[in-house]
Each structure stands twice: as structure tokens, then as C-alpha cells.
Amino acid sequence: MNRQISLAVVLVAALALYSCQTSHRLKPANAERVLAQMTQEEKIRLVVGAGNDKFVGYGSTKLLVPGAAGTTAPIERLGVPPVVLSDGPAGIRIDTVREGDTKRYYHTGFPIGTALASTWNTSLLETVGLTIGKEAHAYGIDLLFAPGMNLHRDPLGGRNFEYYSEDPLLSGKMGAAFVRGVQKNGVGACPKHFAVNNQETNRKDVDNRVGQRPLHELYLRSFEIAVRESDPWAVMSAYNAINGEQCMESRWLLTDVLRRQWHFNGIVVSDWAAPGWRSSAKEITAGNDLLAPGSNEQREELTKALASHELKAADLDTCALRMLRFVSRTTRARGYQPTNTVDLKADAAVSRQAADEALVLLENHGALPLKDGANKIGLFGISSYNFISVGTGSGNVKSRHTVNLLEGLRHAGFAVSQSPSDYYTSIVRDSVSRRSYDELGYAAIPEPGISKALIDRSAKDDDVAIVTIGRSSGEGADRNLYTDFLLQPKELKLITDVASAFHQKGKKVIVILNVPGVVETVSWRDKVDALLCAWLPGQEGGDAVADVLRGNLSPSGHLTMTWPRKYEDCNTHDNFPYDYHGPKAIGNYPKIPRKPAIKNVHYVDYEEGIYVGYRYFDTYDKPVAYPFGYGLSYTHFTFSQPAVKKAAAGYQVSVTVTNDGKMAGKEVVQLYVPLKGLIHQLVAFGKTRLLNPGESERLTLTFTPRELSYWDENMNGWMLDETARKLEIASNSRDIRLQVSIP
Ligand code: BGC
């Protein structure tokens, strides 16, 4: 008996010893146990990314999914796989071609962020997110670096195209919808760049000096809404500093605000920083969980910092634990193998639908939609033939094909006259054949000019003229006032010549703006009969524009930023590098010596405070080219029967929208409230379904007391503005249709 007992004791002891030694492999919900088994070296490996082949300033890896931005490092013995990180937000950014592989990894190009927001349609944004997330999942991407959530502080921001709007509520709601869509696929989304990342010039070194009220009400608010309403898996910390502190090193920003105040649950990924740009110890202490792209130098730095107690082991543990939880959420951690199969046709239809709703009709003097008799088109402007679907840089997407306007018009049954078409097509062919492959995308081809003879012949033969003005924009540089915002002499001449030749024959001229953001229009718009802003509308752009020209659908996009009459009217103009000629802030660009500090390069004073975009133009009643929220339609809508009532979390405003025009269409309703110091701010918005003539829809918009609050700098907190009771139901920020008061 005794022998039996001692045998059992030995067996139990052996089993206990065995189970202690057996590693727990990562599963959802066992991250703490896995962490307990990790060595210091493994924890460091997990919080520092697996690196780029070379440091190029944006992500590019050859591991797992070639052309993706990067991967995390695996810890095989604990079942922690590497996970794949890819850029967005206009689709995934990966290589279509892989070495030694005949398969093509095609993916879909969607409209840029600004265009998506111009739809003012959150459910459409969710569908776009869902579709991009589906492609990401199919190709084995675990985290998508999108949406871009910074504000259009100034119209010339180089990456405004990736961002949604000058307004934080619109940006936040659009971002939240996009994140919800992406994450339905088991792929994480990552709003970026947190925070106040509003210019590209010297982006890694610039200090943005901003007051507490604009910081909280504007620049943090878009992120706050997205975090609270969509629970993203990650947030990316920005390159720049805020009020003297680097975002990536700011514990206040990444821990106190993001996690403690907003209850953010995911990981913070640093933007792509080269070794030595930041203190790795400070980054971990601040709450960055993944230092991207990651390098050996950073690993060594962290090892030394732990030894010298500059970095606390507990802080490293916190980040490593969050990384384990993040990795365990991915389907890859559960053994998923990428299918590498996507339904390009179905996804193109979603891209097209988004482009359809993104187009903003700015002017229409009886020219659109084109009547049945207007079938022969004189198509001018190089970008008609080289339609620009997306910007350059990490936000670029290599879609298989972009439908240009020539193709779009032909698909819609128009005839395009041969001579201008031959002329432009050969220039496009030459320019494309001369350029070498650029993984970050291509700039617009400059307008070449065209002879008067060709224009005159077209005016004689064709029914109508279309002129496209094209611009691109990209990471690493802001847009330039003189070479980008203003139309160039050849472009102005083209518009003038075409308008005079066609008008002499009593024929109409339509201009299409194929642009990433605002351009000057006031000096030339009176020369043309219609003006349609197509943005950079994704791979289906030409078809979407042709649909609107033909009248197959009524435009329903509205501007998400104010268009000034001239750049100098913007109150940010003295505090923005609109004419900077120094190095581009991408790749290993030379550091610009900090002494002496250069205004708008090393530091920017946000002197305008809360008066950004319409908050400035409307409050100070300044004339604009087109107000925030503006967009024409082919039909007409009336708003009626407004009602407001208290709801569980705030207020509900209902309004009936009736299509009393002659064509089916959708309408956007915007709700504004005057707030301390501001004539008004957007507090809610909605979009109707497609309403046939005579049809109505009752829209209900909701908002919370936070939208009626301002940031009180003395109290250092939100204060309800008791006087904010008058609600404006509007079609744009300067077209208030109805008013109701909060009871
Ligand atoms: C960009 C990020 C991007 C990252 C990875 C950086 O240069 O600022 O937006 O996600 O590169 O490509």
C-alpha cells in the first residue's frame, strides 16, 4: 500500500513538473500565461517589428505578403506567429507580382478618403471597409493601416486626400463606419496618424503648437469618435510633436488620453521611424506596443534601457501583453491560411458605387445631364486619358486597371472625337513608357497644351466639350500654392480656348476636376457651363463620371471642406508651408538642421485656434467659392416637419425629405448648432435612400450632449454650452433650411 502511495506521489509530482515545463501556446484568452513564460529577449522581439529590407520611410516587406508594409516578429516556441501589416486607406497596398510566381495578386482601388467622405453615407463607408477588409483577409493581411483620421487644417496638406474632412465629427463617423466594416472580416483596422499630423513638410520633426481647445475639439475629437464607436484593433502614433512633445513619446497622449479617457483596448503602432529618430525606451513607456518597422538597433536600445532602469520591466510587460492579445485576435493565430482569392468583379462594383456617390457637382448652368442629342464629345486635357485614381506614397494602390474618362464615355455610349483623342493618347503612351516602376505611384502628367486648330475642328464637329484638370498628391510633401492649387497657364489657356471655340458655336463646356483636394476655381469657373469634382475616384472613376454626365444617376456628393475663393483667404495661410522648396520628407531625407528653427518647417503655430475651415469662414462671414457641405443635384429636395426630442443618449432630430424634382436622387441632411464662439458646428448628418420623384423619407439624426459642449481651458475639461439650443437643418453650412429648438 505504502509503495502504491509513494508511486502515486511520484507520478503526480512528475506530471506537475511536466506541465510547468510545457509551454502554453498562444490562444485567445491565455496571453497572460504566455507572457509569464517569455524571456526578456522575446518580449523585446515582440514589441519591435520584424523590419524592412532597408529603411525607406514607408513600409515595404518581402516577408509573407510581398509589398505589404511590414510584419511582426514570431516567437515559434510559444505559438506566436508573425502577423502582416498593410497600408490603406483606398484599398490594400501589396505587390501584384511575386518573384518566381506566375499568379497575380490583383486587388481593388477605391476612391480616396476625401472622396469616400464626400458621400456622407456611413453605411456605404462600412461596405467599403468590409470589402477592403475581405481582400485583406484573402491575401493574409492581419492589420490594415487605415483609416486616415487627421483633419484638413489647410487645403494644401499633402495627405489630405487620405483624410476625410476639415470637420472632426464627419471624420470620426466616417472613420468609425470604415473600421467596423474592415473588422467584420477578422482583420484589424488602425486609425492614423495620432495626432495633429496635418502637414507633410518636415513631418518627423515638426512641432505643432496648438491650444487646448482646438486640440480637444478638433484634432483629437475625430480619433475619439472612431475609438469610442468602432473599437479599432490598433491606432498609429504620428511622427510630429504636439506642443514640444513627440507624439510617439507622449504618455499623456497614448496612455492618459487614448487608453484611460477613451478606453482604447488595442495596440499602438508607431509610424515608420528609423533607428535613432526616437527614444525606444520612451516610446514603450509612453504606450507604443509595436515599434515599426523595427530594427536591431531598437532591440539593443531597449535591452540597454532595461539594464539601466531607464525602461521599467513592467512597462515592457504591458506592451508585450497587449501585443500577445492583438496577435491572438488574428485568424492567422488560429491557423488560417490565406486563400489568395478575391472576387474582383464584385469588389469593383462596390468601388463604383462609392465613386458614384462621391462626385460633387459644383456648377451647372443648364449643361448637365447631357441631353440625348449631345452624343459626340470633344475630350480635352491629358488627365481625361490618364485618369488619376489615387494619390502617391503609402496610400497608393496598384489596381489592375483604372477606367479613364475616354473609356467611361465610350462605355456610356458617347462618341469621342478622334483627333484630340489621338493626340493625348500618344503623349500618355510616351510618358508611361519612359517612366520606371515606382512602388509608390505616379504623379499627374503635366498638361501639354493643344493646338487651336484641333480645338476648332472639334468645336465644329462635336456636340459638347469636356476638359479634365488633373492633380495628384502624395506622402512626404505638401501641395504647393503656385504649382498645384492654382491652375497652370497651359490649363487656363486650354479652358479659355475650348470655351471660346465651343461657345461661338452655341455648344456647352464641362470641366471635370480629377483632383485630390481643393483647387482655385473662382478666376475661371464663369467661362464654363458645368463643373464636376470627381476627386481621385478609384479604379472605376471614368465610368462613375460618365454615369453622372449621361444622367444615369444624379450627383449626391457634398464637399467635406470649404473651398476658398483664393488661398490667401485661408486663416492658416501664414502658418502653413504653402511654398516650401526643401527636401521631401520621405525615405532617408536629410535632416533639416534645427538651428535656427524655421517657422512652418520646425514649428507651426496654430494661431487660428478653433477657427478651422467653415468654423472660420462662416463665423466671420467671409465669402467662399463653395461652402462646407455644398453639392448640387439634378433633382430638388424639400425638408419639412422638423421635430426634436430627448433620446436615451442625447437628442433625436427628425425631418422629412421629399424629392419634388423630376429625377431620382439622394439627399444629404446636415444638422448644425451654434456653440460658444462659433456661429455653428456640425453635430449630426444623414443621407436618404434613393428617392424617386414625389417620394419622401423621414430621416432621424442623433447626437449627444458632447456635441453641445466645448473644451474649457480653465477647467481643463468639457463644459456643456447651455445656450446651444437652436438647431439648424441644412443642405450645406450656408443653406439652412429649417430651425428647431431643443426643448
Ligand atoms: C506613413 C504611414 C504608413 C507607413 C507604412 C509611413 O511613412 O506615414 O501612413 O502606414 O509609412 O507604410
Side-chain angles (χ1 to χ4, degrees):
M1 185 64 185
N2 267 354
R3 234 183 115 220
Q4 272 175 352
I5 291 175
S6 41
L7 208 70
V9 169
V10 170
L11 218 77
V12 169
L15 267 173
L17 192 70
Y18 174 77
S19 65
C20 279
Q21 283 173 348
T22 312
S23 336
H24 288 283
R25 293 178 68 78
L26 184 66
K27 288 203 264 315
N30 77 345
E32 281 86 355
R33 285 206 220 137
V34 174
L35 181 75
Q37 297 169 102
M38 287 172 80
T39 63
Q40 175 183 300
E41 188 272 328
E42 284 170 336
K43 291 174 192 169
I44 291 177
R45 195 151 20 111
L46 194 59
V47 301
V48 178
N52 277 4
D53 295 340
K54 52 187 185 313
F55 185 75
V56 281
Y58 55 88
S60 168
T61 186
K62 294 270 177 288
L63 304 174
L64 293 167
V65 181
T71 67
T72 61
I75 301 169
E76 277 100 2
R77 80 173 181 97
L78 298 173
V80 182
V83 302
V84 179
L85 321 163
S86 158
D87 276 314
I92 56 176
R93 187 169 69 83
I94 61 172
D95 292 343
T96 49
V97 180
R98 295 183 185 174
E99 241 174 76
D101 187 348
T102 52
K103 185 177 160 61
R104 293 291 172 262
Y105 296 79
Y106 292 126
H107 44 278
T108 308
F110 292 81
I112 56 169
T114 301
L116 290 177
S118 306
T119 66
W120 293 64
N121 185 340
T122 47
S123 68
L124 182 55
L125 264 274
E126 192 163 332
T127 308
V128 169
L130 185 75
T131 312
I132 297 179
K134 196 168 55 147
E135 291 197 355
H137 191 242
Y139 284 130
I141 289 155
D142 302 291
L143 182 68
L144 185 77
F145 291 149
M149 301 290 307
N150 298 103
L151 298 192
H152 298 186
R153 168 181 175 256
D154 183 281
L156 297 181
R159 289 181 87 176
N160 281 2
F161 75 95
E162 292 183 60
Y163 307 145
Y164 293 126
S165 169
E166 68 187 21
D167 181 80
L169 182 104
L170 183 58
S171 304
K173 299 278 178 189
M174 288 296 164
F178 183 90
V179 170
R180 285 193 297 269
V182 170
Q183 295 193 165
K184 280 189 181 151
N185 298 282
V187 169
C190 179
K192 66 187 186 184
H193 310 87
F194 190 55
V196 202
N197 187 187
N198 304 306
Q199 77 175 46
E200 284 298 281
T201 301
N202 200 27
R203 62 181 176 159
K204 80 170 159 63
D205 247 7
V206 64
D207 180 23
N208 295 322
R209 302 169 176 176
V210 56
Q212 290 302 309
R213 186 170 173 197
L215 180 59
H216 287 270
E217 282 182 33
L218 303 177
Y219 301 108
L220 298 183
R221 184 76 181 125
S222 55
F223 287 94
E224 179 179 5
I225 294 171
V227 165
R228 288 191 193 269
E229 297 187 8
S230 67
D231 194 13
W233 288 18
V235 161
M236 183 182 280
S237 53
Y239 283 132
N240 53 279
I242 304 175
N243 297 328
E245 188 177 35
Q246 298 291 346
C247 292
M248 291 179 187
E249 297 178 355
S250 171
R251 194 168 166 88
W252 168 78
L253 186 67
L254 306 184
T255 296
D256 296 349
V257 173
L258 183 61
R259 297 183 193 281
R260 300 215 172 110
Q261 291 173 23
W262 301 350
H263 309 294
F264 171 65
N265 256 321
I267 56 161
V268 174
V269 184
S270 77
D271 202 344
W272 250 234
W277 280 18
R278 301 282 176 267
S279 150
S280 300
K282 279 193 189 160
E283 282 188 76
I284 295 291
T285 310
N288 283 283
D289 306 296
L290 178 63
L291 309 191
S295 64
N296 277 334
E297 288 94 323
Q298 284 166 310
R299 285 179 207 108
E300 282 159 20
E301 228 189 295
L302 290 179
T303 312
K304 282 193 197 136
L306 282 166
S308 67
H309 304 290
E310 189 198 340
L311 174 62
K312 290 194 202 122
D315 286 336
L316 176 63
D317 279 6
T318 304
C319 295
L321 182 62
R322 287 195 290 243
M323 280 301 290
L324 287 172
R325 289 196 182 125
F326 157 69
V327 174
S328 75
R329 291 172 102 167
T330 63
T331 52
R332 188 182 292 276
R334 277 171 263 141
Y336 165 75
Q337 295 291 325
T339 59
N340 290 325
T341 308
V342 293
D343 186 345
L344 289 173
K345 208 164 155 216
D347 299 351
V350 176
S351 178
R352 166 82 170 270
Q353 197 190 342
D356 279 350
E357 286 203 27
L359 307 182
V360 184
L361 184 60
L362 297 173
E363 299 282 340
N364 189 12
H365 307 288
L368 291 176
L370 292 174
K371 311 279 173 320
D372 281 347
N375 271 326
K376 282 180 65 197
I377 294 188
L379 186 59
F380 298 92
I382 193 85
S383 297
S384 299
Y385 302 84
N386 182 54
F387 222 53
I388 306 159
S389 64
V390 68
T392 60
S394 64
N396 184 254
V397 179
K398 296 269 176 301
S399 38
R400 187 176 183 179
H401 178 71
T402 293
V403 180
N404 64 36
L405 196 48
L406 173 67
E407 292 166 310
L409 292 171
R410 285 186 176 151
H411 295 162
F414 292 106
V416 176
S417 75
Q418 202 60 39
S419 324
S421 164
D422 288 347
Y423 167 74
Y424 287 115
T425 308
S426 81
I427 299 175
V428 171
R429 206 181 305 116
D430 284 357
S431 318
V432 170
S433 70
R434 265 187 276 119
R435 66 190 175 194
S436 51
Y437 177 77
D438 186 341
E439 65 173 298
L440 297 184
Y442 306 97
I445 301 174
E447 195 53 55
I450 186 167
S451 75
K452 261 195 108 279
L454 279 184
I455 295 175
D456 289 342
R457 190 173 332 143
S458 167
K460 191 163 145 282
D461 297 345
D462 298 321
D463 303 323
V464 64
I466 295 178
V467 180
T468 303
I469 299 296
R471 294 278 183 282
S472 190
S473 180
E475 187 171 339
D478 291 303
R479 295 176 57 211
N480 183 284
L481 165 59
Y482 303 105
T483 56
D484 188 336
F485 181 79
L486 298 177
L487 263 55
Q488 299 306 290
K490 281 189 180 161
E491 293 168 329
L492 291 170
K493 182 167 183 330
L494 176 67
I495 292 174
T496 308
D497 289 352
V498 170
S500 101
F502 276 73
H503 287 162
Q504 266 172 34
K505 304 263 182 238
K507 297 175 182 175
K508 306 272 190 201
V509 177
I510 297 153
V511 169
I512 310 294
L513 296 175
N514 179 204
V515 294
V518 188
V519 291
E520 193 276 327
T521 54
V522 170
S523 69
W524 55 269
R525 66 183 175 188
D526 290 347
K527 295 185 177 161
V528 303
D529 306 289
L531 183 53
L532 179 71
C533 177
W535 307 116
L536 308 186
Q539 65 175 42
E540 305 297 312
D543 281 337
V545 172
D547 262 355
V548 164
L549 297 179
R550 179 52 101 195
N552 294 340
L553 65 98
S554 171
S556 67
H558 285 243
L559 297 177
T560 65
M561 78 299 281
T562 312
W563 283 41
R565 291 179 65 85
K566 50 185 197 310
Y567 177 69
E568 292 74 8
D569 289 347
C570 299
N571 58 347
T572 43
H573 140 273
D574 285 340
N575 294 298
F576 190 84
Y578 59 80
D579 190 20
Y580 172 77
H581 292 294
K584 244 187 141 195
I586 196 159
N588 292 321
Y589 70 99
K591 211 167 177 177
I592 307 164
R594 284 191 182 158
K595 282 193 183 145
I598 307 167
K599 180 177 159 74
N600 299 337
V601 173
H602 292 103
Y603 65 93
V604 181
D605 291 322
Y606 282 39
E607 275 170 14
E608 72 285 352
I610 52 167
Y611 297 102
V612 171
Y614 72 88
R615 285 169 164 76
Y616 165 67
F617 286 103
D618 290 1
T619 302
Y620 290 95
D621 199 15
K622 299 281 178 197
V624 298
Y626 302 107
F628 175 80
Y630 172 88
L632 300 174
S633 165
Y634 292 158
T635 186
H636 183 265
F637 298 92
T638 48
F639 299 174
S640 62
Q641 297 168 286
V644 55
K645 66 170 192 204
K646 261 191 157 321
Y651 299 94
Q652 249 184 25
V653 174
S654 306
V655 60
T656 301
V657 182
T658 305
N659 181 352
D660 54 7
K662 293 201 169 58
M663 194 180 159
K666 295 185 177 185
E667 175 64 319
V668 172
V669 175
Q670 302 162 30
L671 190 68
Y672 296 87
V673 177
L675 188 85
K676 191 183 161 72
L678 295 172
I679 192 155
H680 56 197
Q681 71 171 10
L682 185 75
V683 296
F685 60 91
K687 192 169 193 179
T688 66
R689 60 183 159 78
L690 187 72
L691 295 177
N692 285 317
E695 261 194 307
S696 300
E697 182 178 347
R698 186 113 181 116
L699 275 189
T700 298
L701 315 177
T702 54
F703 60 94
T704 65
R706 173 62 85 76
E707 269 67 64
L708 308 179
S709 307
Y710 61 94
W711 184 266
D712 186 309
E713 302 202 335
N714 298 322
M715 306 277 293
N716 203 25
W718 292 98
M719 282 289 285
L720 188 68
D721 181 352
E722 302 283 355
T723 65
R725 323 256 353 134
K726 207 174 68 207
L727 303 172
E728 303 166 347
I729 302 173
S731 173
N732 68 58
S733 80
R734 294 196 170 187
D735 182 5
I736 316 286
R737 302 278 180 85
L738 297 168
Q739 295 199 343
V740 276
S741 290
I742 296 177

